[in-house]
Amino acid sequence: MPKTIYREEHRLLSELLRELREQAGLTQADLSPLLGRPQNRISDFERGGRRVDVIEFLDFCEAVGADPLEVLRRLRQRLRQRGETPHQSKRGSKRS
């Protein structure tokens, strides 16, 4: 199994984070002080070069004014649209 950073789910999350920032009308430089992270860290998240841990994800959502649960719902919806349900291929189950 490939590392999660190389999986489609990670790529879609990175895409979604960038969209959320842009929808909030923020540049990476604007978001940087809100997160207390350098701009290049935000770039790494958005281009998929670095994993986002749960706490960073929550901070990111708060900074862009997004509901974390709604963001996860959107991610799940995108995965389903692409026919990629998380865990399905690993366990053979169909979780909802």
Side-chain angles (χ1 to χ4, degrees):
M1 179 183 327
K3 290 184 177 186
T4 57
I5 199 165
Y6 300 116
R7 289 175 40 185
E8 180 70 2
E9 295 96 325
H10 184 262
R11 188 187 68 73
L12 289 173
L13 176 60
S14 298
E15 235 176 56
L16 192 52
L17 292 177
R18 185 189 74 247
E19 289 172 19
L20 291 168
R21 176 186 54 78
E22 290 172 348
Q23 288 169 1
L26 298 171
T27 65
Q28 290 178 350
D30 295 332
L31 188 56
S32 175
L34 298 175
L35 296 177
R37 301 277 187 219
Q39 179 271 326
N40 66 331
R41 174 75 56 93
I42 296 163
S43 175
D44 289 345
F45 291 155
E46 292 183 4
R47 65 181 174 73
R50 183 180 200 95
R51 289 189 191 112
V52 179
D53 72 29
V54 173
I55 304 304
E56 290 167 325
F57 173 75
L58 293 173
D59 289 345
F60 192 102
C61 288
E62 183 175 333
V64 300
D67 174 15
L69 294 176
E70 182 56 34
V71 174
L72 292 175
R73 283 186 197 99
R74 287 173 62 182
L75 177 61
R76 177 183 247 178
Q77 180 180 22
R78 289 181 186 197
L79 289 168
R80 286 182 173 162
Q81 287 172 348
R82 295 174 186 242
E84 299 176 24
T85 306
H87 307 293
Q88 185 175 11
S89 61
K90 288 179 249 160
R91 294 185 186 160
S93 66
K94 293 187 179 183
R95 291 184 165 191
S96 46

